[in-house]
């Protein structure tokens, strides 16, 4: 396998209407496989959320991370993703989430640390253009003078790497703390204080609506690496809908690490 | 019993376990680390299951390392960090 560069690939963009949390989990699985199998060109997918969710990492303990009663009270669905890393608290409009599905050749011979920073170099540049001085903080965070902005996670599957990132746009910190069993130490790690009511590094530092931030990020990726507008194929969506039912919306998968 | 260890420069490593007849039982590793392939999680749990509860950290780390295939990749976690979390879980019981 030869090392490839960004411009060796014909990047595709998928940005569809809001979808359910379990369908998002399934789409990451399906699209990673499709790119790995060579049936889909390398792709960037911007997520839009139809409903609130807590997304826990592949190796996180469900009961240690999530207050199930609080999640239910707030009407929040809890799902487990295929990549490692920490829990995310999602309400439609409070975060910006994207996935990059690339052949493993793009990060060939890189350490994990190099691969994370490499996959998000375009975002650091996009944030700079939005007036935010941001940098990569190993192992898997994007941070700024105003605190942590985003967390990334990667998973390798059948010849492809999934790299996905959730960026805090405007998060209700009180609700997040109600649902996530997040330690005080971890909270300080996220650049917030116990008094903070909102975690809103992107909103407060850009002053722009979320849609505009996404638009500017897409424009930066397009300029740096090239990007063609694409849609999900019918068979990809069917596969993902099936998996969302049988696996990702399923209590067995959710409690895989109870 | 529950033990946590934030690996320096790494991620949070959590171990939940019981002790039965002086041996580790129902061992569950969890945390916000990264493992490839993801099946390595079960391999690590199985490697710790049944180990003597008085085994030292070096011994625990060696048991984990020996059980893992050479192609397993760890990021933000190590056999040594898992051993620390195991010891902390065991100590938690003594303090309780």
């Amino acid at each position: 396998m030869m090392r490839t560069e960004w411009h060796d690939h014909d990047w595709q963009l998928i940005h569809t209407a809001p979808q359910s949390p379990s369908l998002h989990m399934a789409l990451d699985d399906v699209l990673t496989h499709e790119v790995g199998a060579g049936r889909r060109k390398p792709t960037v997918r911007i997520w839009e959320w139809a409903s609130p969710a807590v997304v826990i990492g592949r190796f996180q303990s469900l009961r240690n991370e999530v207050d199930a009663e609080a999640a239910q009270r707030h009407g929040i669905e809890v799902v487990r993703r295929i990549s490692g890393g920490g829990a995310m608290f999602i309400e439609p409009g409070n975060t910006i989430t994207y996935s990059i599905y690339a052949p493993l050749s793009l990060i060939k011979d890189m350490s994990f640390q190099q691969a994370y920073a490499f996959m998000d170099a375009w975002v650091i540049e996009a944030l700079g253009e939005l007036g935010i001085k941001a940098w990569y903080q190993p192992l898997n965070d994007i941070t700024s003078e105003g605190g942590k902005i985003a967390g990334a996670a990667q998973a390798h599957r059948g010849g492809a790497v999934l790299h996905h990132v959730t960026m805090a746009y405007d998060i209700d910190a009180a609700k997040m703390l109600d649902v996530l069993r997040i330690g005080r130490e971890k909270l300080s790690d996220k650049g917030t204080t116990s008094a903070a009511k909102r975690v809103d590094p992107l909103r407060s530092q850009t002053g722009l609506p979320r849609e505009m931030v996404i638009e500017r990020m897409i424009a930066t990726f397009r300029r740096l690496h090239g990007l063609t507008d694409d849609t999900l194929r019918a068979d990809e969506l069917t596969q993902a809908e099936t998996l969302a039912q049988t696996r990702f919306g399923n209590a067995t998968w959710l409690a895989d690490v109870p | 019993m529950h033990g946590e260890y934030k690996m320096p420069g790494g991620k949070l490593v959590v171990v939940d376990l019981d002790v039965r007849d002086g041996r580790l039982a129902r061992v569950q590793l969890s945390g916000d680390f990264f493992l490839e392939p993801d099946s390595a999680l079960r391999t690590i749990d199985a490697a710790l299951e049944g180990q003597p509860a008085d085994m030292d950290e070096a011994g625990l780390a060696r048991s984990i390392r020996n059980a893992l295939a050479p192609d397993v990749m760890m990021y933000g976690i190590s056999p040594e960090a898992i051993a620390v979390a195991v010891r902390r879980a065991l100590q938690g019981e003594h303090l309780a």
Side-chain angles (χ1 to χ4, degrees), chain A:
Chain A
M1 179 174 68
M2 293 269 289
R3 167 80 192 279
T4 56
E5 304 290 342
W6 289 97
H7 62 252
D8 292 328
H9 301 288
D10 182 9
W11 292 93
Q12 308 293 303
L13 173 68
I14 294 176
H15 189 186
T16 65
Q19 289 159 318
S20 74
S22 52
L23 187 60
H24 279 304
M25 301 304 109
L27 280 169
D28 266 359
D29 192 334
V30 169
L31 296 179
T32 307
H33 274 111
E34 290 300 299
V35 169
R39 287 187 296 265
R40 156 168 285 286
K41 291 174 178 173
T43 298
V44 179
R45 181 170 75 94
I46 311 282
W47 304 31
E48 295 296 343
W49 298 86
S51 51
V54 164
V55 182
I56 61 173
R58 174 67 187 90
F59 308 111
Q60 288 190 298
S61 155
L62 177 61
R63 63 168 178 262
N64 287 347
E65 291 302 323
V66 183
D67 183 330
E69 190 275 322
Q72 197 169 25
R73 178 157 37 86
H74 290 297
I76 294 168
E77 184 181 348
V78 183
V79 291
R80 182 185 297 278
R81 64 176 183 267
I82 60 172
S83 65
M88 301 150 26
F89 171 68
I90 310 281
E91 293 182 285
N94 79 342
T95 54
I96 294 173
T97 306
Y98 59 86
S99 295
I100 301 174
Y101 315 94
L104 274 173
S105 57
L106 192 65
I107 55 166
K108 183 179 156 54
D109 295 332
M110 287 186 193
S111 67
F112 275 107
Q113 189 167 321
Q114 289 169 326
Y116 275 75
F118 177 81
M119 294 301 285
D120 280 331
W122 68 279
V123 178
I124 302 293
E125 181 144 347
L127 289 171
E129 289 167 11
L130 287 163
I132 302 179
K133 185 168 170 268
W135 60 93
Y136 225 81
Q137 183 171 298
L139 308 176
N140 59 322
D141 287 344
I142 296 171
T143 196
S144 70
E145 276 153 0
K148 174 173 167 173
I149 288 185
Q154 290 186 3
H156 298 183
R157 291 285 182 95
V161 56
L162 159 68
H163 178 93
H164 52 190
V165 174
T166 289
M167 312 173 83
Y169 178 74
D170 183 8
I171 293 175
D172 180 339
K175 199 188 280 189
M176 178 174 74
L177 290 174
D178 206 20
V179 176
L180 296 183
R181 299 187 198 278
I182 189 170
R184 189 168 289 180
E185 193 182 342
K186 189 72 187 171
L187 188 66
S188 69
D189 190 46
K190 288 188 188 305
T192 56
T193 68
S194 55
K197 290 192 170 56
R198 307 205 74 86
V199 182
D200 62 351
L202 278 184
R203 192 188 61 80
S204 61
Q205 292 185 76
T206 64
L208 295 174
R210 175 178 172 278
E211 296 68 30
M212 189 67 74
V213 176
I214 292 174
E215 203 174 291
R216 299 275 290 272
M217 285 174 56
I218 291 172
T220 301
F221 189 104
R222 204 184 295 273
R223 194 188 71 240
L224 292 174
H225 305 317
L227 194 60
T228 304
D229 292 345
D230 191 18
T231 51
L232 285 169
R233 297 195 316 258
D235 66 300
E236 289 170 336
L237 186 57
T238 306
Q239 244 191 97
E241 281 169 345
T242 304
L243 269 179
Q245 289 267 332
T246 58
R247 182 160 208 217
F248 293 101
N250 178 305
T252 308
W253 168 253
L254 178 61
D256 186 61
V257 185

Side-chain angles (χ1 to χ4, degrees), chain B residues 5-87:
Chain B
Y5 178 58
K6 166 74 168 64
M7 178 175 147
K11 309 302 289 186
L12 187 68
V13 179
V14 182
V15 169
D16 290 272
L17 53 74
D18 293 336
V19 172
R20 271 194 227 120
D21 304 325
R23 292 182 179 275
L24 309 187
R26 296 184 58 199
V27 180
Q28 177 182 287
L29 170 67
S30 65
D32 60 352
F33 47 78
F34 300 88
L35 278 178
E36 296 283 352
D38 62 355
S39 57
L41 185 76
R42 292 281 184 272
T43 307
I44 295 168
D45 287 347
L48 290 169
E49 192 77 22
Q51 297 291 352
D54 59 359
M55 183 180 266
D56 65 8
E57 280 178 27
L60 291 167
R62 199 160 45 241
S63 308
I64 295 164
R65 208 177 283 286
N66 290 342
L68 291 172
D71 64 336
V72 168
M73 293 185 289
M74 304 181 119
Y75 190 43
I77 182 174
S78 67
E80 290 71 25
I82 300 165
V84 173
V86 169
R87 182 177 52 76

